[in-house]
Amino acid sequence: MKISVGKLFTGLAVFFGALAALSCISISLLKWGMFCSIAGIVCSVFVIFRRTQFQMITKWNHPVVLALFLSSLPILYLITIIFIFKE
């Protein structure tokens, strides 16, 4: 059984993105969510650059785009918390 590098990193990006999104449930998990978020964003960007290198079209419903969105949720959550408790 042979798996390509793109599919492997897409799976990793979705996995880390899901963990990052689940970390928004509790504020105590946010530190680990940020680590998963960074890993998910790195894997997603690697897959997108690799698909661009081989001139493959990456549509908006591709799993790596979903993973990139899920990985950005803890960052947006943290920014929202900072702005709410700024005063």
Side-chain angles (χ1 to χ4, degrees), residues 22-75:
L22 285 175
S23 73
C24 293
I25 293 173
S26 174
I27 195 109
S28 64
L29 297 173
L30 198 58
K31 178 178 76 171
W32 297 109
M34 293 303 285
F35 290 131
C36 291
S37 177
I38 291 169
I41 289 172
V42 167
C43 290
S44 297
V45 168
F46 174 75
V47 172
I48 290 172
F49 280 158
R50 189 158 167 89
R51 289 180 63 87
T52 304
Q53 178 185 7
F54 293 116
Q55 297 175 352
M56 300 170 71
I57 297 172
T58 305
K59 295 188 179 185
W60 291 106
N61 58 358
H62 195 272
V64 78
V65 177
L66 173 69
L68 191 61
F69 173 72
L70 289 175
S71 295
S72 66
L73 283 179
I75 298 168

Side-chain angles (χ1 to χ4, degrees), residues 8-25:
L8 175 70
F9 275 94
T10 300
L12 283 174
V14 171
F15 174 72
F16 284 125
L19 285 179
L22 285 175
S23 73
C24 293
I25 293 173

Side-chain angles (χ1 to χ4, degrees), residues 71-83:
S71 295
S72 66
L73 283 179
I75 298 168
L76 295 174
Y77 181 65
L78 188 64
I79 289 172
T80 304
I81 289 172
I82 289 170
F83 279 122

